[in-house]
Amino acid sequence: MSSTHRNDVSREQVLAYRVAAHGFGRSSTTPEVLVLGAQDTPHGAARTALAARGASADGMESVWSFRGAPHLHRREELAALAAALWPVDDTDATARINTSAIKDGAKLGLEAFRATAEAFRTAVTAPMAKGEVSTAVSASVPESLTYWCAPCGAQHISGLLFQQAGLPGAVRVGTAGSGTVLEPLEPRLPMPSEASGTAGLIRAYLRFLGPATPAEVAKHLGTKPTVVKSVWPDELEEVRIEGRKAWLPAADLDALLAARKQDLVRLLPPGDPFLQARDRALLVPDKSREKEIWRPLGAPGALLVGAELAGTWRAKAAGRRLDVTVTPFALLAPAVRKTLEAEAEAVASARGAADVRLLFADDAS
């Protein structure tokens, strides 16, 4: 971990830096933060994240990537992403899939990923329902990678392994009604033989969600800090965020030190790249507010004002109209409320709604 001298930065500088790095200024339809993809949980969230940045979904594919979660990624980057997300060693592989359901199977490490990815490539040659693919893959992998599912009366592969092996297994993720459909990625991605580009992926996290620590990067990848430290990139700069050590690429230090809050308002969906930072106490110092934004189930979207998360929001379809209800944490300025009208329209457009109605919860506005 390289450092030449101490740089002290404030929380406000870090947040302003991230807002600029994420492309919320809408100066590009292909913001660089998309190297990290846009998580699509719940379905449709990724397109809302793109709308918040004025970005287009053209040329993007839906795949299972970070921690096996569905993301939109640029098509031309998928081969490199598959190699970068491939576990660096057996310890890394075991850490990513170590659940009580396959405690012994997780010890297979890299072999668990290889066997599952190969099973995907054999099974998925045309569009198939996720359940069909799961049945085929479960029958092809070592039994220790599966568990007995009483409700289904069948032996299932671990979902955590199944979805993390999807990208190296060269499958894309689609929907049909309320179901998930898997189909082969074309052109076919090469099967990773070993991890490649992992340090570059870590560098991307540090650039867009940094300054950050190895432990925070490890949470994003679903692995252990010791694994991340073993492939920690060079040419980083150490900074102190109000006394706490963290790192970012040295090339981005000047941008961090010069960062200033922008006058903008955005509606971020659950799982937005900005919300993927693991230092949540930095983003939202109030613990109760943090729990409101990052709920384990049914999380709302987040209202971004300037560089602060200033509330939550939810959308509900009412015929062809979309009702967007904003719950601010404090009284919003009239200019912010006015700007939110346009932002609600952007959300509606991303979700294919013909009309939108903006509402405010009564308790804070």
Side-chain angles (χ1 to χ4, degrees), residues 88-89 91-92 95-96 202 223-232:
V88 300
D89 55 24
T91 299
D92 184 15
R96 296 192 195 197
I202 293 172
T223 190
K224 295 182 177 180
T226 52
V227 171
V228 170
K229 289 177 181 178
S230 72
V231 286
W232 197 242

Side-chain angles (χ1 to χ4, degrees), residues 348-359:
S349 177
R351 294 183 54 154
D355 191 17
V356 64
R357 179 171 63 170
L358 177 63
L359 305 168

Side-chain angles (χ1 to χ4, degrees), residues 85-87 89-90 92-97 105-106 108-120 141 145 160-166 168-169 191:
L85 284 175
W86 190 254
D89 55 24
D90 286 326
D92 184 15
T94 296
R96 296 192 195 197
I97 60 173
L108 292 176
L110 285 166
E111 182 54 32
F113 278 78
R114 289 193 193 97
T116 308
E118 288 170 356
F120 267 117
V141 300
L145 298 177
L160 192 59
L161 170 59
F162 184 68
Q163 295 192 192
Q164 289 189 80
M191 174 79 170

Side-chain angles (χ1 to χ4, degrees), residues 241-290:
I241 307 172
E242 299 179 349
R244 181 176 65 89
K245 285 185 183 179
W247 288 264
L248 85 163
D252 297 308
L253 178 62
D254 287 346
L256 170 63
L257 297 177
R260 297 293 183 270
K261 182 176 68 174
Q262 298 182 50
D263 184 19
L264 54 76
V265 178
R266 300 289 182 266
L267 290 172
L268 312 185
D272 186 274
F274 189 81
L275 303 177
Q276 294 291 336
R278 301 296 152 158
D279 52 356
R280 293 176 177 175
L282 180 82
L283 290 174
V284 184
D286 185 327
K287 194 69 176 179
S288 65
R289 299 303 192 192
E290 178 184 325

Side-chain angles (χ1 to χ4, degrees), residues 54-333:
S56 167
D58 292 345
M60 302 192 78
E61 292 278 11
S62 176
V63 297
W64 288 323
S65 60
F66 293 96
R67 307 170 310 284
H71 285 69
L72 282 183
H73 286 278
R74 290 185 285 234
R75 189 176 298 121
E76 69 273 15
E77 296 174 353
L78 291 178
L81 179 66
L85 284 175
W86 190 254
V88 300
D89 55 24
D90 286 326
T91 299
D92 184 15
T94 296
R96 296 192 195 197
I97 60 173
N98 192 15
T99 67
S100 58
I102 57 163
K103 201 71 176 178
D104 290 334
K107 296 175 183 176
L108 292 176
L110 285 166
E111 182 54 32
F113 278 78
R114 289 193 193 97
T116 308
E118 288 170 356
F120 267 117
R121 289 169 178 266
T122 299
V124 184
T125 58
M128 297 173 63
K130 180 184 175 183
E132 292 181 75
V133 178
S134 176
T135 298
V137 170
S138 298
S140 300
V141 300
E143 186 176 357
S144 62
L145 298 177
T146 68
Y147 67 98
W148 179 252
C149 177
C152 296
Q155 201 71 17
H156 282 320
I157 186 169
S158 160
L160 192 59
L161 170 59
F162 184 68
Q163 295 192 192
Q164 289 189 80
L167 180 57
V171 298
R172 68 183 300 275
V173 182
T175 59
S178 59
T180 299
V181 173
L182 305 180
E183 56 187 284
L185 278 166
E186 299 294 348
R188 204 73 157 161
L189 300 182
M191 174 79 170
S193 58
E194 61 181 4
S196 173
T198 311
L201 201 59
I202 293 172
R203 182 182 295 278
Y205 180 96
L206 296 175
R207 179 183 180 192
F208 296 105
L209 295 171
T213 66
E216 289 160 358
V217 176
K219 286 183 180 179
H220 189 66
L221 295 177
T223 190
K224 295 182 177 180
T226 52
V227 171
V228 170
K229 289 177 181 178
S230 72
V231 286
W232 197 242
D234 295 326
E235 298 182 4
L236 301 181
E237 195 71 41
E238 178 188 312
V239 301
R240 301 290 183 104
I241 307 172
E242 299 179 349
R244 181 176 65 89
K245 285 185 183 179
W247 288 264
L248 85 163
D252 297 308
L253 178 62
D254 287 346
L256 170 63
L257 297 177
R260 297 293 183 270
K261 182 176 68 174
Q262 298 182 50
D263 184 19
L264 54 76
V265 178
R266 300 289 182 266
L267 290 172
L268 312 185
D272 186 274
F274 189 81
L275 303 177
Q276 294 291 336
R278 301 296 152 158
D279 52 356
R280 293 176 177 175
L282 180 82
L283 290 174
V284 184
D286 185 327
K287 194 69 176 179
S288 65
R289 299 303 192 192
E290 178 184 325
K291 291 179 179 179
E292 289 182 47
I293 294 174
W294 290 280
R295 294 186 180 182
L297 295 173
L303 168 63
L304 179 69
V305 178
E308 296 286 348
L309 297 181
T312 62
W313 65 277
R314 292 186 182 276
K316 183 179 180 180
R320 298 198 64 199
R321 188 188 72 208
L322 190 71
D323 287 344
V324 175
T325 302
V326 175
T327 305
F329 293 152
L331 188 67
L332 297 177

